[in-house]
Amino acid sequence: MTSDASRPRLTVLLLAAGLAAAIFAVDLGLTHVVGLGSLYALPLLLGLWLPWRRYPWIFASVASVLLVLGFLHKAPDVPRHLAIVSRSISVAVIWLMAAAVFSYRRIERRYEAEADRAQKYLDIVGVCVVAIDAGERVTLLNATGCELLGCSPAEAVGLNWFDTFIPPEDREGTRRVHRELMAGRGTIEEHYENDLMTRDGARRRIAWHNVALRDETGRITGTLSSGLDVTDRRAAEQALHRSLKDLSDMKWAIDQSAIVARTDVRGRITYVNDQFCQISKYMREELIGRDHRMINSGYHPKEYIRNLWHTIANGDIWRGELRNRAKDGTIYWVDTTIVPFLDEAGKPYQYMAVRYDITERKLQEQALRESEERFRLMAESAPMMIWVTAPDRSAEYFNRRWLAFSGRTLGEEAGFGWTTGLHPDDRERCLAVYESAFTARRSFELQCRMRRADGEYRVVESHGVPRFTPAGEFLGYLGSSVDITDRLREEERSREQAALVRLGEMAAVVAHEVKNPLAGIRGALQIIGGRLDPRAAETRIIGDMTARIDSLNRMVEDLLLFARPRQLKLAAVHVLALLGDVGGLLKQDPSYAGIAFEIAGEDVALQADVDFLRAVFLNLVLNASQAMQGQGVLRVGVEAAAARCRITVADTGPGIPPDVRTRIFQPFFTTKSRGTGLGLPIARRAVELHRGTITIDCPPGGGTVVTVDLPLGPDSGAAPPDA
């Protein structure tokens, strides 16, 4: 099958063959006509549309043969010489025509080759080439132009250039210039730029070079323009311009706020701004070409400066503070950043130093250090505990007295480590006051129990005041704390002594006015009871009355003992033996048969009043047994250390509520339905007469622990083996 491109050529070839055959047939039919041979020129002219270069020669040869054959078939009455002349002329005409067609086709091919070569030149120049005729139509557009505008040459040629590719806002102006040029009233502008609109609506900036196209008479018939797409270049130039403007603005801003200097790789100054001259008090001419040693104050060690140069010489940025000396000798501080500029090999070729004046800040820091040093000297020598906190509530300083009290280091107490020393019962309340004061930024004071280095909880009174900068910025708290345990005890002791004086006076009256009559009443009841029948109801009533009189008598005796205790009768007392006696007394009461009484520890000897101590521990053991309701384990421990003896009585009862615990040693305070409320006050008074202490604690797991701490005395020691 023939292709679509070869089909027209085949048609022309068949047409030429048909015409040749028709002319030959006519020539044979008209034997008396002699001029028909010239008609072979018609199919020969079809060679103008056929691509075969030899077609004119081949057809001329075929036509010559056909003319000869036609001559041979002519009628005999036609003059022979006339036929020969006629056929010769036809052959000559055919061959001349063949030569003309061949020459035309050769010229045409050469023109096409030159046009193709010219088009290739236009396509590879890399710029848009466009030709526009007087009617504003595109007559030529190269490949670059097609690619730029988004269309093929066939689509572009014939389009109105201005309506299709010029943006609406520029269209009338450019069209007017073109029309005036075509009318001979204007001059062509060889170089200019304008925007083009591509087929997809995008805008491109084109820089044009233009020439006018003229005909043989010199009349302008159109324009030929080459355009370079400078859209990206112009965008880059604008970006560069903006960057240069930004750099210029930044340089101006830095020059207004910072001290700037530039040096070469050897450190010689090549540029300084006005701020540098102002702070150094040197003229710019005095600085250029010199190095920074002229403002060196000699403050920094040589190693510091060597490290600076080593850092920037390696291409790294150096940051630090420098103390410099101005021309008039004044000292100033600068916060400095030195940036090395590197070449293609990564080596510095110059340095830029940007500095900020921090002299005022350094003076303030120095004043602050001196103030802090004065504060520390005062705080360390203060007769109280001093502490300082940060704005975030964490503690950052404790003086020597605080650390001696807590027995911990500053690192252990700092932050919130100090809260570990708060008594568990006071911790929540203490921290609530602390947090509330921080939130309100107000002064506060509070009392809470804190653990001393020896483990004893002491009552500490603290006062805190907020700290602020002159600008009103909150800095935290400054506070003081004082151990007021001894003061509270002394105040309590004073109150008790005053009460005891009044109680002693009352006890004397009671002993005189009550005890003696009670003795007479009891004696009378015994006489009456002795006369009655033991089985009589009156005998039981008299017995009950006698028991109540005995209880009232013991109450009076307790009152006398508490108000006016007798002098101590000191003797060697072996603690384990004493506690064993107390346990024996407890077991005699059947109400406490369910109590497991355990004693542990080493036996030591005390210089003490055995009756007083027996009464103390019997009272503690009975209270513990009653708290356990006659069922449980009662553990008594003995421990000797640091010339003192510590005896603990621990039960497994429900414990003592905090509100009761604070009042438990107050005279006449009791939670029992029957009792004088003098048992524990008498016990504490007896212990204090021995220069000891008694404390009560309730562990979180339940129960109550009573601790009696007594001095051992000079004759303390272990019990004998046979004790």
Side-chain angles (χ1 to χ4, degrees):
M1 296 181 64
T2 59
S3 64
D4 294 339
S6 62
R7 189 168 298 158
R9 299 173 182 174
L10 180 60
T11 301
V12 174
L13 182 62
L14 292 176
L15 178 60
L19 287 174
I23 294 170
F24 180 70
V26 171
D27 188 24
L28 291 179
L30 301 175
T31 57
H32 298 284
V33 180
V34 296
L36 290 176
S38 299
L39 295 177
Y40 284 106
L42 295 176
L44 182 61
L45 291 175
L46 293 177
L48 296 174
W49 291 274
L50 291 174
W52 302 297
R53 299 175 60 186
R54 296 182 180 180
Y55 171 80
W57 309 121
I58 294 173
F59 189 83
S61 300
V62 171
S64 299
V65 172
L66 292 177
L67 285 172
V68 172
L69 292 176
F71 171 76
L72 295 177
H73 287 82
K74 281 296 180 182
D77 55 348
V78 176
R80 193 170 185 83
H81 66 279
L82 182 60
I84 292 174
V85 171
S86 175
R87 299 287 173 170
S88 297
I89 293 173
S90 296
V91 170
V93 170
I94 289 172
W95 281 97
L96 288 174
M97 184 65 70
V101 171
F102 180 80
S103 298
Y104 176 83
R105 289 291 296 155
R106 183 172 60 182
I107 293 171
E108 185 181 48
R109 283 193 295 271
R110 186 174 301 166
Y111 171 79
E112 290 176 352
E114 291 297 330
D116 183 63
R117 186 180 299 110
Q119 186 65 43
K120 289 181 179 178
Y121 289 156
L122 293 176
D123 290 342
I124 66 174
V125 292
V127 295
C128 171
V129 179
V130 59
I132 305 171
D133 63 13
E136 303 175 357
R137 294 181 298 273
V138 177
T139 59
L140 171 68
L141 185 66
N142 70 340
T144 302
C146 292
E147 182 180 356
L148 174 67
L149 298 174
C151 59
S152 66
E155 293 173 330
V157 172
L159 293 176
N160 186 290
W161 173 258
F162 300 99
D163 292 338
T164 308
F165 301 111
I166 300 299
E169 63 271 16
D170 300 334
R171 191 169 296 159
E172 291 306 317
T174 54
R175 173 179 279 130
R176 183 171 57 254
V177 172
H178 181 77
R179 288 177 177 176
E180 289 180 354
L181 179 65
M182 294 299 104
R185 294 192 298 270
T187 58
I188 190 165
E189 188 175 353
E190 292 188 5
H191 301 281
Y192 73 95
E193 291 185 10
N194 71 328
D195 289 341
L196 288 187
M197 187 169 59
T198 65
R199 294 298 291 271
D200 59 4
R203 300 289 185 97
R204 306 298 294 179
R205 189 72 176 175
I206 308 298
W208 295 104
H209 176 71
N210 309 295
V211 294
L213 298 177
R214 301 176 185 272
D215 59 13
E216 297 81 0
T217 65
R219 185 175 60 87
I220 296 177
T221 60
T223 59
L224 178 64
S225 304
S226 63
L228 179 63
D229 186 355
V230 295
T231 308
D232 296 335
R233 181 195 300 176
R234 293 295 179 262
E237 289 174 353
Q238 292 177 2
L240 178 60
H241 177 74
R242 287 194 298 269
S243 297
L244 293 175
K245 180 66 168 58
D246 291 342
L247 288 174
S248 177
D249 292 343
M250 285 189 287
K251 178 182 180 300
W252 183 85
I254 292 174
D255 282 341
Q256 299 306 307
S257 61
I259 304 162
V260 181
R262 187 171 62 241
T263 71
D264 61 17
V265 72
R266 288 181 291 180
R268 290 179 303 193
I269 299 173
T270 58
Y271 168 81
V272 291
N273 69 346
D274 293 340
Q275 297 283 344
F276 192 105
C277 298
Q278 181 179 349
I279 194 170
S280 69
K281 298 181 173 58
Y282 282 98
M283 300 292 291
R284 185 173 282 103
E285 294 76 13
E286 296 177 286
L287 294 167
I288 300 300
R290 306 283 297 277
D291 58 35
H292 283 79
R293 283 179 293 184
M294 64 189 302
I295 58 172
N296 188 349
S297 66
Y299 173 81
H300 301 286
K302 293 182 178 180
E303 183 61 30
Y304 187 80
I305 303 301
R306 278 198 296 268
N307 175 68
L308 183 158
W309 276 104
H310 177 74
T311 300
I312 61 176
N314 286 335
D316 297 322
I317 298 173
W318 184 89
R319 296 181 177 88
E321 296 178 352
L322 291 171
R323 183 177 185 263
N324 292 334
R325 187 186 305 276
K327 184 177 180 180
D328 62 359
T330 56
I331 296 298
Y332 65 93
W333 281 86
V334 286
D335 185 353
T336 304
T337 300
I338 303 178
V339 181
F341 290 4
L342 309 180
D343 59 17
E344 294 79 2
K347 300 296 183 181
Y349 65 89
Q350 69 176 3
Y351 302 108
M352 177 73 79
V354 180
R355 302 173 174 89
Y356 293 93
D357 184 4
I358 58 171
T359 307
E360 186 65 26
R361 191 194 80 191
K362 299 297 287 188
L363 292 176
Q364 292 176 356
E365 289 176 355
Q366 181 179 356
L368 180 61
R369 284 194 300 270
E370 293 173 354
S371 175
E372 289 178 346
E373 185 60 27
R374 288 193 298 270
F375 168 76
R376 289 182 184 275
L377 290 174
M378 294 173 58
E380 294 301 325
S381 60
M384 61 189 67
M385 295 180 279
I386 304 294
W387 46 267
V388 178
T389 73
D392 63 354
R393 297 172 170 78
S394 62
E396 57 186 15
Y397 170 75
F398 294 96
N399 71 343
R400 183 179 55 206
R401 285 187 178 272
W402 178 290
L403 300 179
F405 175 86
S406 66
R408 287 155 57 91
T409 65
L410 179 60
E412 293 171 326
E413 291 289 271
F416 295 93
W418 62 275
T419 61
T420 60
L422 292 172
H423 193 283
D425 294 338
D426 296 349
R427 179 184 178 88
E428 183 176 352
R429 175 182 59 84
C430 175
L431 292 180
V433 173
Y434 185 75
E435 293 285 340
S436 175
F438 260 90
T439 301
R441 304 284 196 266
R442 56 175 171 77
S443 301
F444 70 90
E445 63 177 79
L446 62 89
Q447 290 183 5
C448 60
R449 287 168 291 178
M450 298 193 69
R451 187 175 57 247
R452 197 168 59 181
D454 59 1
E456 180 185 353
Y457 282 97
R458 308 279 291 181
V459 179
V460 175
E461 184 176 71
S462 299
H463 296 264
V465 293
R467 298 181 298 137
F468 297 94
T469 65
E473 180 184 359
F474 177 62
L475 298 177
Y477 272 79
L478 170 65
S480 64
S481 299
V482 179
D483 182 356
I484 61 171
T485 308
D486 295 337
R487 189 190 78 190
L488 293 177
R489 288 176 179 173
E490 186 61 31
E491 291 174 354
E492 183 180 1
R493 190 175 294 110
S494 298
R495 289 192 298 271
E496 290 178 355
Q497 290 297 330
L500 287 175
V501 170
R502 294 191 298 272
L503 188 60
E505 295 172 353
M506 184 184 71
V509 173
V510 170
H512 183 269
E513 300 293 336
V514 177
K515 191 172 183 180
N516 290 337
L518 285 177
I521 294 171
R522 189 179 189 285
L525 289 174
Q526 286 178 337
I527 293 173
I528 295 172
R531 294 176 181 178
L532 296 174
D533 185 356
R535 293 171 295 179
E538 292 80 357
T539 303
R540 290 194 301 274
I541 293 173
I542 289 175
D544 185 57
M545 292 175 64
T546 303
R548 291 181 180 276
I549 290 172
D550 290 341
S551 175
L552 184 59
N553 191 50
R554 285 193 300 272
M555 181 185 298
V556 174
E557 290 177 352
D558 287 346
L559 183 60
L560 289 171
L561 179 62
F562 179 73
R564 293 181 178 180
R566 63 174 175 79
Q567 293 292 324
L568 296 178
K569 298 177 181 179
L570 298 179
V573 179
H574 290 280
V575 177
L576 289 184
L578 174 64
L579 295 175
D581 293 343
V582 171
L585 293 173
L586 178 68
K587 292 179 181 178
Q588 291 177 8
D589 191 335
S591 301
Y592 306 124
I595 299 294
F597 189 77
E598 300 176 358
I599 303 174
E602 57 179 325
D603 191 14
V604 294
L606 301 175
Q607 290 294 320
D609 188 312
V610 64
D611 293 331
F612 272 16
L613 290 189
R614 183 183 292 109
V616 168
F617 290 112
L618 181 60
N619 182 276
L620 297 179
V621 167
L622 289 174
N623 286 342
S625 301
Q626 292 169 5
M628 295 187 292
Q629 298 181 352
Q631 299 289 331
V633 179
L634 185 59
R635 295 183 177 87
V636 181
V638 181
E639 180 184 2
R644 298 187 73 84
C645 178
R646 180 175 294 177
I647 303 103
T648 57
V649 179
D651 63 47
T652 56
I656 304 173
D659 58 330
V660 175
R661 209 180 312 159
T662 59
R663 305 175 57 195
I664 203 164
F665 287 111
Q666 294 179 5
F668 308 110
F669 174 78
T670 181
T671 59
K672 303 173 184 176
S673 59
R674 297 181 61 184
T676 63
L678 291 172
L680 284 176
I682 290 174
R684 186 176 72 169
R685 188 158 176 77
V687 170
E688 290 177 347
L689 288 173
H690 286 82
R691 304 186 309 278
T693 60
I694 180 171
T695 57
I696 296 179
D697 189 31
C698 294
T704 302
V705 179
V706 182
T707 303
V708 177
D709 188 82
L710 296 168
L712 291 176
D715 297 330
S716 62
D722 56 351

